[in-house]
Amino acid sequence: MRPISVYALALFCLAASGTVYAQPQLYETGPAEDASFVRFISLLPDTLEVTAAGGARLTLTPENASTTWQAVRANTPLTAKLHHRDRSEDITLTAQPGEFVTVVALVGDADWFVDIGRESPDDFSAFRVSLGLMNLDPACGNASLGVADSDIEIVSEVEHRDVRRRQINPVALDIRLLCDGQPTGSPVAMGTLRAGDRWTIVAHPGKDGPGLFPVLDRMP
């Protein structure tokens, strides 16, 4: 898929998702035909500060845990400092043209850590819902996203840091995570899904084992 098509896809996502609160732009944007996108998610129990190299800053909290997608220059190193409580984590990443990169702060066994998922989406439907499973739990092998209280699998065999996506009808849905074919954690109620929306369901480590965190894909 050509990058310009991905940019058009992003604009469709914006139209479908509606208006959201503006957030600080952390990085310079590139031309539309060469655009890539980055967002930050925090699954930590309190505030996470994200600061880009130029000094732009934003704050994530449990109530506002995800940024929108932000357009960035492709093939350009991007740096950020993530600060939580008394520790900071420096990251550097480069996005390929048309790539969507998600940076996630996660709770670990001893301390918090950062992991990154990457996706190059090539689908959009104004009449269906896109559900993607992003596996950011290294302990969850062959992760699958299933329908709760059912044997139906939406996507399956998602390895660590991979994303797999599927279009479904806009219905009321409860989902569950399976690791190596075994259900784990509690089901998550998604409610009635809206046609045209795109969701990324993050599989993440937790104190009681792997869990799911749904994120609505949004443009600024």
Side-chain angles (χ1 to χ4, degrees):
M1 179 183 184
R2 294 180 302 167
I4 184 63
S5 299
V6 175
Y7 191 78
L9 166 65
L11 295 180
F12 274 123
C13 290
L14 170 60
S17 298
T19 303
V20 296
Y21 292 108
Q23 293 174 321
Q25 179 69 33
L26 295 176
Y27 306 102
E28 292 184 0
T29 59
E33 64 273 12
D34 198 34
S36 302
F37 298 87
V38 171
R39 70 175 166 191
F40 292 83
I41 298 172
S42 174
L43 300 186
L44 304 180
D46 45 40
T47 301
L48 175 74
E49 297 284 346
V50 181
T51 306
R57 175 182 298 181
L58 55 81
T59 300
L60 296 176
T61 65
E63 296 74 28
N64 183 29
S66 173
T67 70
T68 57
W69 286 114
Q70 296 195 358
V72 298
R73 293 183 183 274
N75 297 320
T76 301
L78 306 172
T79 62
K81 181 184 292 290
L82 281 63
H83 182 80
H84 171 65
R85 294 183 178 175
D86 58 353
R87 189 172 72 84
S88 294
E89 184 84 13
D90 293 314
I91 64 164
T92 301
L93 62 89
T94 300
Q96 300 302 309
E99 189 174 43
F100 285 59
V101 181
T102 301
V103 180
V104 187
L106 298 158
V107 175
D109 292 335
D111 206 342
W112 65 279
F113 67 102
V114 177
D115 210 346
I116 296 175
R118 297 174 180 268
E119 182 182 9
S120 296
D122 59 1
D123 64 324
F124 177 78
S125 170
F127 306 103
R128 307 192 78 190
V129 182
S130 178
L131 287 185
L133 177 63
M134 176 181 292
N135 183 9
L136 293 186
D137 189 341
C140 183
N142 295 314
S144 299
L145 184 67
V147 178
D149 299 323
S150 169
D151 293 331
I152 298 174
E153 290 189 352
I154 301 170
V155 293
S156 60
E157 297 183 353
V158 185
E159 297 299 331
H160 183 220
R161 297 194 179 103
D162 282 348
V163 181
R164 290 201 175 183
R165 187 170 293 276
R166 182 176 175 182
Q167 299 276 356
I168 66 171
N169 292 325
V171 296
L173 186 67
D174 291 353
I175 56 175
R176 66 177 181 177
L177 175 66
L178 298 90
C179 300
D180 292 316
Q182 299 300 313
T184 182
S186 301
V188 175
M190 296 292 293
T192 300
L193 300 173
R194 189 175 67 171
D197 276 351
R198 294 173 62 85
W199 289 86
T200 300
I201 315 299
V202 180
H204 63 88
K207 293 181 179 179
D208 299 321
L212 293 176
F213 186 79
V215 180
L216 180 63
D217 294 356
R218 304 171 298 153
M219 298 302 293

